[in-house]
Amino acid sequence: MVAAVLGEENGADAPVFVLVHGLGMSRRYMMPTALLLAEFGRVYVPDMPGFGESGKAVEALTIPELSDSLMEWLTDLGLGPVIWLGNSLGAQVLIDFSTRHPEHAAAAVLVGPTIDPEARKISIQSLRLLADVFLEPTALYTIGLVDYLRAGLRRNLQTLRHALDDPILEKLPQIRCPVLIIRGGRDPIVPERWVERVARLIPEARLVTIPRAAHAVNFNSPGQLVEEVMNFLRAKPQLKFPRRR
């Protein structure tokens, strides 16, 4: 997988963050958050297989296959347990990752985790995505359009079907690492009732709402997101983080 790396000057002992993008997107819209997190540690921002600049398999990967691809990539880099942050489908992939590769998840930040089990239809998800488009910064439109076209309609639809079929409710109670759930208060894709349910099902989870943010909190409100992330991580005695420079 192709990945951007930031904060290398922080050294080998610095915390390691890995940011995972959502459906149809690439690492590019994760960069506002990555740049801020680079003040605190090393940050890796990969393009998952089939998206962005990473290679494309013939068929779209399932959620577990995307999760396993991250595990293989992490192993190739020789990285130990990391702090994961994923938006939308990326958060759904991290839920799977945290259940099947727990030794490599020091903590997980789920930003707008999908998919609400009460809305397991492509038509509903498409309408929700359309509603979100009008709430996001205009700069995201160009990034999203280019990334969606690069991935292709067929791959995006196949991946969405895999996400709709994913038994996410069975996985949530199995997560054992600290989890921070972030939802934008204006997010039309991820209902409040759904993230509240997610928070109840994960044994060690905290839910935070950023009131004026839409779905892509990592792009539209990166400063508030990173502040919440660092407050959460610093409150965990098993995790050590430097103060902002």
Side-chain angles (χ1 to χ4, degrees):
M1 290 190 291
V2 176
V5 185
L6 296 82
E8 291 181 284
E9 68 280 3
N10 289 317
D13 294 332
V16 177
F17 299 88
V18 179
L19 277 54
V20 184
H21 62 80
L23 175 65
M25 302 296 285
S26 73
R27 68 185 188 274
R28 296 192 301 156
Y29 89 119
M30 306 298 292
M31 296 309 292
T33 292
L35 288 166
L36 295 178
L37 284 174
E39 295 187 38
F40 305 102
R42 288 181 290 144
V43 184
Y44 293 79
V45 197
D47 287 339
M48 288 191 289
F51 301 98
E53 296 180 3
S54 288
K56 292 176 171 55
V58 176
E59 298 294 330
L61 300 184
T62 64
I63 298 300
E65 287 171 341
L66 289 171
S67 171
D68 288 342
S69 72
L70 288 174
M71 184 65 243
E72 293 172 10
W73 169 79
L74 204 68
T75 301
D76 288 343
L77 290 177
L79 297 175
V82 303
I83 299 101
W84 295 92
L85 185 152
N87 172 240
S88 198
L89 179 85
Q92 189 169 348
V93 172
L94 294 186
I95 289 168
D96 182 88
F97 185 98
S98 298
T99 62
R100 295 193 301 111
H101 306 291
E103 69 280 7
H104 290 278
V109 181
L110 310 178
V111 183
T114 57
I115 285 178
D116 178 5
E118 297 179 8
R120 290 185 181 275
K121 292 183 178 179
I122 290 178
S123 58
I124 295 176
Q125 293 300 318
S126 298
L127 289 173
R128 288 182 176 183
L129 176 61
L130 182 61
D132 184 65
V133 166
F134 297 100
L135 300 173
E136 300 286 357
T138 55
L140 188 58
Y141 301 167
T142 301
I143 294 174
L145 179 60
V146 172
D147 286 347
Y148 267 72
L149 289 175
R150 175 181 284 174
L153 177 61
R154 181 170 178 268
R155 182 174 303 277
N156 284 322
L157 284 176
Q158 284 181 333
T159 305
L160 177 55
R161 290 192 181 98
H162 291 321
L164 292 169
D165 292 338
D166 182 47
I168 190 170
L169 289 174
E170 298 175 11
K171 301 175 183 180
L172 294 172
Q174 302 176 45
I175 300 176
R176 292 297 178 262
C177 69
V179 174
L180 174 63
I181 304 163
I182 299 283
R183 177 183 179 268
R186 304 174 68 200
D187 186 348
I189 296 176
V190 178
E192 183 177 14
R193 66 181 181 278
W194 164 234
V195 290
E196 289 176 346
R197 188 178 184 186
V198 172
R200 288 194 301 270
L201 288 172
I202 298 176
E204 190 178 349
R206 180 188 177 201
L207 171 60
V208 173
T209 298
I210 297 180
R212 298 185 62 81
H215 185 60
V217 182
N218 48 282
F219 189 87
N220 60 53
S221 305
Q224 291 174 275
L225 173 58
V226 170
E227 181 178 3
E228 294 293 348
V229 169
M230 296 312 301
N231 287 340
F232 175 76
L233 295 175
R234 287 186 180 125
K236 301 299 176 182
Q238 68 271 38
L239 302 172
K240 305 293 184 181
F241 294 92
R243 295 290 175 180
R244 183 184 294 273
R245 295 196 294 269

